[in-house]
Amino acid sequence: MPITIFTQGKDLTPWLKVFKEKRPDLEVRTYSDNTPTQDVEFAMAWNHPLGVFKNFPNLKCIASMGAGVDHVLRDPELPAGVAITKIIDTNLTKDMAEFILVLAMDYLRGISAYKVQQLQQNWQPIPYKRIEEVRVGVMGVGVLGMYVAQQLHKVGFRVSGWARTAKRSESINIYAGAEDLNAFLSVSDILVCLLPLTPDTANMLNKATLSKLPKDAFVINVARGEHVVEKDLLQLLDSGHLSGASLDVFRQEPLPENNSLWTHPKINITPHMASKTDPTSAVDQILENYDRLMHNKPLINTVSLQKGY
């Protein structure tokens, strides 16, 4: 049984190299119009052509090539009964935590602001905050979000988390459900969005929710661009309610040249690089599920279609 990769615009060279090293006898191929429809049982996907999977009657598993699965679930013609899996990557998780810590410290100490002043030759000290004075709210405390919250807590931040359903943590105060959302927002001087993208979480960072943050709060979005209503964010930045935002993800990527986010003085932009899936560790998980499928064993890291993650 071969593995067939369905993607658009993704460089597969590192992935194919790792597959060759780890399983040299396994056929790993990329989808084309000539791909035989009957022998595709195990697929890997990243931004696949929508509707393509319905053409493969023997398909049993679609493995996302990253931690997110919204790019798979947005396909309105996914065949019924096909398992969907995701990557849970230790390196990706650590990279994300380090990136968010950098952004949080930038907010505390104003490093980005000093870079602007340097270019202006402006010598102007900026008041700063201390770690123990700042409350961080992590929105979305799955495997990735919980690790991020715990690492920020270890550094000394006062950290809370929010999830759609109740979760337990010995070190992090977890708010749950719509009834706890406003209370969670009210204690988030820095709001970190790590939510999965689902119909329930799309546009969740809007005027109503962002207005519940404390005055001068800072927003970090490293989840998906569709979580943020951009015009609402801009309005709250311009009004002075929010002190700034760091955005790593956007509704359209690359971010169009005419988008006003580029030039807003209170917004830091990075090109969707907070963390990247490491093919070396990801391929091990994909091969494990491949072997499990071959031997009719339960798959790991499966996705709930009802929850969307």
Side-chain angles (χ1 to χ4, degrees):
M1 179 176 69
I3 292 178
T4 307
I5 304 177
F6 295 75
T7 187
Q8 299 179 101
K10 188 177 183 68
D11 180 14
L12 297 178
T13 304
W15 292 82
L16 297 175
K17 180 176 181 291
V18 174
F19 271 116
K20 190 68 175 176
E21 293 171 350
K22 292 180 178 288
R23 197 74 62 90
D25 296 330
L26 175 64
E27 181 185 359
V28 180
R29 63 191 181 185
T30 56
Y31 163 76
S32 72
D33 292 339
N34 299 321
T35 299
T37 59
Q38 297 298 318
D39 64 351
V40 175
E41 299 181 53
F42 192 101
M44 290 169 55
W46 191 262
N47 290 329
H48 67 277
L50 297 182
V52 70
F53 290 127
K54 70 178 184 296
N55 301 319
F56 298 92
N58 296 321
L59 183 62
K60 297 181 176 65
C61 177
I62 301 171
S64 171
M65 297 171 71
V69 294
D70 50 283
H71 63 98
V72 176
L73 298 182
R74 69 180 178 177
D75 190 333
E77 299 182 277
L78 285 177
V82 174
I84 299 173
T85 66
K86 61 185 177 181
I87 298 297
I88 298 179
D89 184 355
T90 301
N91 290 335
L92 182 149
T93 302
K94 291 172 62 179
D95 290 350
M96 180 65 78
E98 291 172 2
F99 185 76
I100 291 170
L101 177 59
V102 168
L103 296 182
M105 295 307 301
D106 186 11
Y107 163 72
L108 264 65
R109 301 305 300 256
I111 304 303
S112 293
Y114 283 127
K115 183 60 180 178
V116 174
Q117 290 187 179
Q118 175 187 338
L119 296 174
Q120 300 170 342
Q121 297 182 335
N122 178 17
W123 184 279
Q124 183 63 49
I126 301 171
Y128 60 84
K129 303 177 186 295
R130 295 183 175 87
I131 288 176
E132 63 272 15
E133 300 171 345
V134 177
R135 301 166 298 178
V136 179
V138 178
M139 207 172 199
V141 280
V143 173
L144 180 58
M146 185 63 77
Y147 181 84
V148 168
Q150 291 169 344
Q151 296 306 302
L152 293 172
H153 172 75
K154 288 179 181 179
V155 173
F157 287 101
R158 293 181 284 162
V159 183
S160 300
W162 181 85
R164 290 179 56 202
T165 57
K167 294 179 182 288
R168 296 187 64 183
S169 170
E170 294 183 1
S171 57
I172 310 299
N173 182 28
I174 305 295
Y175 295 82
E179 62 274 16
D180 282 352
L181 180 57
N182 287 346
F184 163 76
L185 293 169
S186 71
V187 294
S188 299
D189 301 314
I190 299 177
L191 178 68
V192 179
C193 181
L194 279 166
L195 291 167
L197 181 61
T198 70
D200 291 332
T201 64
N203 301 313
M204 196 162 184
L205 299 186
N206 53 44
K207 185 175 181 180
T209 53
L210 295 175
S211 296
K212 299 296 193 303
L213 294 171
K215 179 74 165 58
D216 295 326
F218 190 84
V219 175
I220 296 173
N221 186 24
V222 287
R224 288 291 184 266
E226 290 86 348
H227 286 122
V228 176
V229 179
E230 292 179 3
K231 65 179 180 61
D232 292 353
L233 173 65
L234 290 169
Q235 181 179 342
L236 289 168
L237 289 169
D238 291 339
S239 71
H241 181 72
L242 298 178
S243 63
S246 281
L247 307 177
D248 187 56
V249 289
F250 305 90
R251 290 177 182 265
Q252 182 179 344
E253 296 181 0
L255 187 63
E257 293 180 2
N258 62 353
N259 191 297
S260 56
L261 297 175
W262 277 117
T263 56
H264 198 286
K266 294 183 178 180
I267 293 178
N268 298 324
I269 288 175
T270 48
H272 201 152
M273 46 67 64
S275 61
K276 296 293 183 183
T277 301
D278 179 3
T280 302
S281 56
V283 162
D284 285 337
Q285 295 179 44
I286 290 170
L287 288 174
E288 180 171 353
N289 269 336
Y290 175 87
D291 293 338
R292 285 170 174 263
L293 188 68
M294 290 279 286
H295 295 93
N296 295 313
K297 294 182 178 181
L299 304 183
I300 61 171
N301 303 335
T302 55
V303 172
S304 166
L305 295 182
Q306 289 71 35
K307 293 180 179 180
Y309 56 89

